[in-house]
Amino acid sequence: MKLLLVEDQVELAKSIQNYFMKEGDVCEYANSFGAASEKLHGYQYDVLVLDIMLPDGNGLELLEVVKQNWPQMGVVIISAKNALDDKLKGLDLGADDYLPKPFHLAELNARTKAVFRRRLQKGENSLSLNEIKIDLDSHEVFVHDQLLDLTRKEFELLHYFFVNQRRLLTKQAIAEHLWGDYMDTADSFDFVYQHIKNLRKKIIKAGGNDYLDTVYGVGYKVKSS
Amino acid sequence: MNLVIRVTLLFALASLIVFLIGGVISFRVMMREVNDEQRHFLNERMDRVTRMIERRKPTDTLRMNKLVVVPLENLTEERKSFRDTLVIHAQLERLEPHLKLDAIKNVEGRSYQVVMYDVIIEPDDIRDGLEESLVKIYLILLGAVVVVGFIVSTYMLRPFNQTLQAIKKFSIKDQDSKISFPKTGIAEFKRLNFFLEEMTEKVKSDYQSLKEFSENASHELQTPIAIIQGKLEVMMDSNKLDEEQINQISSAQHTLNRLKNLSTSLSILTRIENKEFDKVSALDFSSEVEKMLNEFKELIELKSITLTTEIEPGVSVEMDDVLCELLLTNLINNAIRHNWEDGTIHISLTKEALEVVNSGPDLEGDPNELFQRFKKSNQSSSSLGLGLAIVQKICDLYSCRLEYSQANKQHRMKVGLNP
């Protein structure tokens, strides 16, 4: 996946870039409206990650330009400004997703991947890890080609792990992914634990391996083998 | 009672007092003048009587119209005195106060006592005349005052009323339109309009900067938090960390998360106060409640809480949809958080009110402080204590009554609808 990150905060941009590069993605970076336009005209990108507040212009204007010239490009807006209004405006203008700052990098990764897949991948839309396969269109999970009965949250959880393989996902990031703003983090960790316990049980029962590693009680990580 | 009527009444009262005092003074002055005139008149008559005595040299008592002349035996010293007396008035046939001149006059070696009395104008008549004229003048004055009052209120106060209308239409959020007051020639109104113009501009710019501040504060806080969060996540991904280090990072992330929630909640509170959520529309509150309960279903189940509902379908509220969601989220979240494992939540919705009843430990502290910012039953808890403050703000905005009561470890939160 080749993406362009438009973000004026260098430090945040570096972290995001770092995260995506580790995933094996190409992440280029522009710190202003002007720099972003230049890059957009010079190269081809799959997804644009766009901050709305830019020093030399409004990200929403850039979004309009992108939608006119490169309608196939996926756009994820990241913004801290007046979250609710911009969300509506951004989605109206054709953005694929909206993520208010501050966010977890794993969350941004998951959303960007989802946008990328929705927009550009043809044919089978699925993720797999050895014997486990997730069908993203039908929201079904198969273990050894056998359908696994998961709740919606369990599916989301597994999907989150699959997108962020090799990453340590904290309970907090998981809780926020599953419940968004509705959840208070203090209470949520037990819930995360419960969900993971159930998910593990179901996968093992279906003959799959337990790929989830608990990391020092802080979070979880997908084992690659 | 409006200003003009009030001033008119006050003026009428004041002029009544002035007229009463004025009447008394006029009466006195006129009486004095009349008295002087009468004395003068009697004195002149005295001169004529003296000349008559010189001519006729009466030896007997002489009685004439309002005049008695009595010759005295002995020569007596001359004197003269005026006195008030009551005499039967010839035409009116009743006692009337008269002025009486009682004198002793020596004419050619003989003393005569001369008594005469007369009246030019009776005091009664003066009083009646005065009364009549004063009452008439007073009535004319009242009429004039009413007419002037009418003119003042319709014409002269017109710019003032126009100013009031202009203020009524003033909206603090409307940044584009400048409030305009009618031109007026009256100095006071000019000053008032000038002052109001300055003030509304000031209020607008203050509001604008406050709004900008809350927006900026939210943005400026969120960005550094986003940076820190990103750095911590990248750091956490490193494979070289031991348990201690990972725990440290995790705990930093927790604290950061609280900071994030704090800044979000405070900015929501400010924005509610600024009335920025104004996309009011008729919402199907019943289905909103159902939808929200569905979002929380899992959390409720995971805490083994028994949820019972009694939701009347088709209850509609006029609200901003974002605020409606915030209201329900905070109420339900609150009911879950301050609950026990295996506790209960009962939610009922009627056209009159939304009620959330949940089991849970007794509230410590004053229930009245429950809805204030940063008030929480357990100070050490990780909740921010802003949830119910947001609920209260939303209820205030839509003039909904928010009530809390607790009994037998059951907490009841009631939001009145359709006030």
Side-chain angles (χ1 to χ4, degrees):
Chain A
M1 182 172 68
K2 193 172 174 192
L3 57 97
L4 176 64
L5 169 66
V6 185
E7 162 66 59
D8 62 324
Q9 297 289 332
V10 184
E11 289 304 312
L12 181 60
K14 273 190 198 160
S15 301
I16 296 173
Q17 228 177 344
N18 181 307
Y19 200 96
F20 279 110
M21 309 255 260
K22 267 196 183 173
E23 292 282 308
D25 299 314
V26 178
C27 178
E28 294 205 12
Y29 160 60
N31 65 353
S32 67
F33 193 106
S37 307
E38 231 168 81
K39 282 209 185 273
L40 281 166
H41 283 94
Y43 308 92
Q44 188 83 41
Y45 297 96
D46 300 324
V47 181
L48 175 71
V49 176
L50 178 64
D51 183 10
I52 288 186
M53 297 267 270
L54 294 173
D56 55 347
N58 189 329
L60 290 175
E61 285 167 32
L62 192 63
L63 173 60
E64 278 180 278
V65 174
V66 167
K67 284 289 133 186
Q68 268 166 23
N69 297 310
W70 306 277
Q72 80 289 357
M73 197 187 293
V75 179
V76 177
I77 290 177
I78 49 173
S79 166
K81 190 201 155 209
N82 226 349
L84 298 160
D85 302 351
D86 281 351
K87 180 177 182 174
L88 293 175
K89 254 186 243 161
L91 295 180
D92 272 356
L93 287 173
D96 298 87
D97 208 344
Y98 177 94
L99 194 56
K101 281 186 199 171
F103 46 78
H104 290 276
L105 295 177
E107 185 70 36
L108 178 65
N109 182 35
R111 303 249 193 138
T112 313
K113 291 272 158 65
V115 167
F116 172 64
R117 221 169 283 118
R118 258 204 316 272
R119 290 214 154 248
L120 301 164
Q121 271 193 350
K122 291 180 188 98
E124 201 182 21
N125 193 1
S126 66
L127 289 169
S128 51
L129 178 66
N130 302 334
E131 72 275 19
I132 306 173
K133 196 180 94 183
I134 300 182
D135 187 320
L136 294 166
D137 294 322
S138 61
H139 284 225
E140 282 168 335
V141 175
F142 299 91
V143 178
H144 294 303
D145 290 326
Q146 186 192 335
L147 182 64
L148 201 61
D149 180 30
L150 295 182
T151 64
R152 201 186 82 200
K153 293 280 183 215
E154 283 162 357
F155 174 82
E156 279 175 24
L157 186 61
L158 190 63
H159 179 212
Y160 199 44
F161 275 117
F162 268 50
V163 175
N164 290 294
Q165 288 178 28
R166 297 181 305 277
R167 300 279 180 181
L168 168 56
L169 296 178
T170 59
K171 288 175 181 173
Q172 189 174 308
I174 296 169
E176 270 178 51
H177 178 73
L178 292 186
W179 291 288
D181 294 338
Y182 299 128
M183 207 38 214
D184 259 311
T185 47
D187 298 342
S188 59
F189 297 166
D190 300 339
F191 301 157
V192 171
Y193 171 75
Q194 288 272 2
H195 274 301
I196 286 181
K197 204 175 78 182
N198 293 341
L199 184 62
R200 270 179 171 153
K201 228 189 271 173
K202 285 183 182 175
I203 293 173
I204 290 168
K205 207 177 155 196
N209 288 312
D210 178 17
Y211 290 100
L212 298 181
D213 247 352
T214 310
V215 183
Y216 305 131
V218 169
Y220 303 87
K221 201 171 182 174
V222 176
K223 282 184 284 194
S224 38
S225 59
Chain B
M1 201 189 294
N2 77 29
L3 182 70
V4 174
I5 295 180
R6 208 170 259 241
V7 168
T8 307
L9 283 181
L10 192 67
F11 183 79
L13 186 71
S15 52
L16 184 68
I17 293 167
V18 168
F19 267 68
L20 286 176
I21 296 168
V24 172
I25 292 171
S26 316
F27 181 71
R28 290 246 174 102
V29 170
M30 280 175 101
M31 280 311 291
R32 194 183 67 217
E33 288 300 318
V34 167
N35 261 333
D36 283 356
E37 203 53 41
Q38 270 179 349
R39 281 174 196 221
H40 196 62
F41 173 74
L42 288 179
N43 279 335
E44 266 178 23
R45 205 167 158 205
M46 187 69 199
D47 291 346
R48 284 205 303 276
V49 169
T50 311
R51 281 199 294 281
M52 183 202 76
I53 294 171
E54 275 168 8
R55 214 167 48 241
R56 288 172 49 181
K57 293 188 187 69
T59 48
D60 289 332
T61 300
L62 201 68
R63 281 178 199 279
M64 288 161 72
N65 181 28
K66 294 177 186 169
L67 173 69
V68 180
V69 179
V70 184
L72 297 178
E73 298 300 321
N74 307 315
L75 193 68
T76 320
E77 204 185 333
E78 278 195 354
R79 64 180 168 78
K80 189 159 117 185
S81 67
F82 289 99
R83 234 176 293 157
D84 286 324
T85 183
L86 284 174
V87 175
I88 296 215
H89 194 278
Q91 280 97 45
L92 297 171
E93 294 182 341
R94 62 162 195 243
L95 284 174
E96 284 286 332
H98 281 57
L99 188 66
K100 179 170 140 186
L101 175 65
D102 189 354
I104 294 187
K105 190 87 191 165
N106 296 334
V107 179
E108 292 173 9
R110 187 153 189 184
S111 295
Y112 299 88
Q113 186 188 10
V114 181
V115 175
M116 62 174 91
Y117 51 88
D118 207 345
V119 63
I120 301 173
I121 308 169
E122 290 91 353
D124 278 12
D125 296 345
I126 295 176
R127 205 168 50 231
D128 290 350
L130 265 178
E131 262 172 30
E132 195 189 327
S133 54
L134 285 181
V135 165
K136 279 180 180 161
I137 293 172
Y138 186 67
L139 288 177
I140 292 167
L141 186 70
L142 276 189
V145 164
V146 168
V147 170
V148 167
F150 179 74
I151 291 170
V152 165
S153 65
T154 39
Y155 297 103
M156 291 171 80
L157 283 183
R158 183 183 281 169
F160 181 72
N161 287 328
Q162 283 168 337
T163 301
L164 284 186
Q165 286 298 323
I167 299 172
K168 221 181 198 175
K169 286 193 200 119
F170 171 68
S171 158
I172 196 165
K173 293 165 81 181
D174 199 354
Q175 288 296 329
D176 307 325
S177 77
K178 196 171 176 296
I179 188 165
S180 69
F181 296 107
K183 291 265 175 292
T184 166
I186 298 170
E188 283 83 355
F189 292 156
K190 257 188 201 162
R191 284 218 306 273
L192 176 72
N193 287 350
F194 177 71
F195 172 72
L196 281 175
E197 249 162 56
E198 291 236 300
M199 207 174 68
T200 49
E201 285 309 305
K202 176 96 176 72
V203 164
K204 267 188 187 171
S205 73
D206 282 1
Y207 172 78
Q208 190 60 22
S209 49
L210 184 72
K211 219 177 107 179
E212 271 164 22
F213 173 77
S214 62
E215 273 173 19
N216 291 346
S218 152
H219 178 249
E220 296 304 325
L221 271 177
Q222 305 286 29
T223 306
I225 292 172
I227 294 171
I228 298 171
Q229 192 164 307
K231 297 274 168 208
L232 289 176
E233 254 174 283
V234 170
M235 202 190 279
M236 205 148 200
D237 248 2
S238 155
N239 292 320
K240 299 172 203 113
L241 298 179
D242 60 22
E243 182 174 3
E244 172 64 16
Q245 286 164 324
I246 284 191
N247 274 319
Q248 296 275 8
I249 297 172
S250 170
S251 116
Q253 280 181 329
H254 279 204
T255 318
L256 192 64
N257 200 50
R258 291 195 56 195
L259 187 62
K260 175 176 109 179
N261 290 343
L262 180 71
S263 106
T264 314
S265 300
L266 281 178
S267 105
I268 285 174
L269 275 171
T270 316
R271 293 179 60 205
I272 297 173
E273 269 170 22
N274 286 356
K275 297 201 162 74
E276 285 178 45
F277 296 98
D278 52 4
K279 290 194 244 3
V280 178
S281 59
L283 298 174
D284 183 350
F285 203 48
S286 308
S287 66
E288 291 288 329
V289 174
E290 300 271 15
K291 198 178 88 191
M292 206 49 76
L293 282 175
N294 208 31
E295 294 280 347
F296 280 95
K297 205 174 127 220
E298 252 180 327
L299 302 183
I300 293 171
E301 281 167 5
L302 279 167
K303 215 170 172 177
S304 307
I305 292 169
T306 315
L307 172 72
T308 48
T309 56
E310 209 179 305
I311 294 169
E312 192 182 312
V315 175
S316 156
V317 286
E318 297 270 322
M319 243 186 222
D320 184 285
D321 54 348
V322 176
L323 289 188
C324 177
E325 193 176 295
L326 272 172
L327 176 78
L328 293 173
T329 310
N330 280 302
L331 279 175
I332 300 171
N333 219 338
N334 193 63
I336 299 172
R337 190 192 307 137
H338 302 287
N339 214 325
W340 286 306
E341 290 273 330
D342 302 316
T344 60
I345 293 178
H346 178 77
I347 293 182
S348 71
L349 175 69
T350 63
K351 281 192 178 59
E352 282 73 42
L354 169 71
E355 256 185 45
V356 180
V357 183
N358 66 282
S359 58
D362 281 336
L363 180 75
E364 292 163 36
D366 187 358
N368 292 326
E369 289 182 347
L370 200 61
F371 300 105
Q372 288 174 18
R373 292 177 188 189
F374 303 113
K375 291 288 172 191
K376 34 190 179 179
S377 53
N378 180 2
Q379 286 299 326
S380 62
S381 84
S382 63
S383 77
L384 293 168
L386 284 172
L388 289 181
I390 291 176
V391 169
Q392 175 78 74
K393 267 277 162 310
I394 296 172
C395 287
D396 285 352
L397 184 68
Y398 295 114
S399 336
C400 296
R401 255 178 84 86
L402 180 61
E403 287 168 52
Y404 167 78
S405 60
Q406 65 163 351
N408 303 327
K409 306 215 183 295
Q410 293 284 322
H411 304 264
R412 199 175 66 108
M413 213 56 92
K414 185 178 173 186
V415 180
L417 302 172
N418 305 321

